[in-house]
Amino acid sequence: MNETELKLKLTPEQYNFLLQEARSSHTHVNVNYMSYFDTTNGRILKDKEMIRVSSQLPGKMGCIITHKSGRTVSDGVQSCEEIEHVIDCRDYTTSYNASWEPGKFVNSDEFLELELQILGIIEKDEKIVRVNSVPLINTRLKFLHLDVGLTLEVDQTLFPGRTDLELECEFDPSIQDNLDKVESLKNWLTKETGQPVIYQEKGKFQRLLELL
């Protein structure tokens, strides 16, 4: 599936403004623990792809495997081919009787390798290795902004040694009305905060690699 989304860096002032805007809408909040993987031969990095496993807070057992490839960027709009697959986080515990903890997966990662092979993301003879030993912690507020007419995702991500704030907005670029709404969103944010929008040209995985 093709994914296209606008990504903007946010200043603390812009971030707090959007939090206030979210309070007037039905807001969905998720805290995700994100671990990234490569193959032992480094193919995923060499091919500029990404494999991520996201787990949520206790009580929410769904983990999401995400694979992205063919990424392009222009004026803050990122497009890529994306595969998402939901699995049960309890399959990642070292024992089926063990208590599940956020960001805790089986040491061997054999289950994940099998899932990735079934999905066709890695070859049957490929093995995986973790890129980050400590998961990134991402807090996301998702809400429909009625004035702009778009669903906004406001992110705070804890990287090693720093915190990034950003706005993401997925849309279908083949529809002219959506393109107009994206421009309206950028103009609206600039007008309301008095600060210009700054495009986020790098994905979270790229930014993580720069810190390792």
Side-chain angles (χ1 to χ4, degrees):
M1 180 185 74
N2 182 268
E3 177 194 56
T4 300
E5 58 185 356
L6 174 71
K7 288 178 177 282
L8 301 177
K9 296 180 182 180
L10 294 177
T11 65
E13 292 79 13
Q14 290 171 327
Y15 178 78
N16 289 328
F17 168 75
L18 288 169
L19 293 188
Q20 293 296 325
E21 287 292 305
R23 291 183 178 180
S24 62
S25 304
H26 177 69
T27 305
H28 184 69
V29 182
N30 271 337
V31 178
N32 292 293
Y33 297 77
M34 304 189 299
S35 293
Y36 293 86
F37 295 82
D38 192 8
T39 51
T40 52
N41 60 10
R43 181 184 62 80
I44 297 299
L45 279 176
K46 290 175 185 175
D47 292 347
K48 297 183 179 180
E49 300 178 8
M50 182 273 283
I51 296 174
R52 179 182 68 217
V53 174
S54 302
S55 60
Q56 297 183 357
L57 288 172
K60 297 183 179 180
M61 291 301 164
C63 291
I64 300 176
I65 297 174
T66 303
H67 173 251
K68 295 187 179 185
S69 61
R71 179 176 174 271
T72 61
V73 184
S74 177
D75 293 335
V77 175
Q78 301 187 21
S79 296
C80 68
E81 291 298 319
E82 180 184 66
I83 296 174
E84 283 195 342
H85 180 65
V86 180
I87 57 175
D88 193 320
C89 286
R90 289 169 292 189
D91 290 333
Y92 277 104
T93 52
T94 54
S95 165
Y96 284 101
N97 295 321
S99 60
W100 178 77
E101 298 175 8
K104 178 181 177 182
F105 309 109
V106 294
N107 293 329
S108 65
D109 288 321
E110 291 177 356
F111 181 84
L112 178 57
E113 285 176 358
L114 178 60
E115 289 289 320
L116 293 171
Q117 290 166 4
I118 292 173
L119 293 169
I121 295 172
I122 65 173
E123 301 295 331
K124 290 186 177 180
D125 60 345
E126 287 186 313
K127 301 295 183 182
I128 59 171
V129 62
R130 294 173 184 275
V131 174
N132 54 321
S133 58
V134 178
L136 303 186
I137 303 176
N138 171 261
T139 303
R140 169 168 290 181
L141 282 74
K142 184 175 182 179
F143 67 100
L144 173 63
H145 196 289
L146 296 177
D147 291 341
V148 178
L150 293 170
T151 297
L152 308 183
E153 298 175 341
V154 183
D155 278 9
Q156 178 191 73
T157 306
L158 302 183
F159 286 83
R162 81 175 196 214
T163 300
D164 281 8
L165 307 174
E166 60 193 304
L167 171 65
E168 298 185 3
C169 176
E170 189 171 346
F171 66 98
D172 183 350
S174 67
I175 301 174
Q176 182 60 46
D177 186 50
N178 288 339
L179 297 174
D180 295 339
K181 288 178 179 179
V182 167
E183 288 303 312
S184 295
L185 169 62
K186 292 187 288 186
N187 293 334
W188 167 79
L189 186 59
T190 298
K191 179 181 178 181
E192 294 296 325
T193 63
Q195 297 179 338
V197 296
I198 303 173
Y199 298 135
Q200 177 55 272
E201 302 288 351
K202 299 178 181 178
K204 292 181 179 66
F205 186 41
Q206 288 178 286
R207 283 173 273 156
L208 170 65
L209 292 175
E210 292 174 350
L211 295 172
L212 297 180

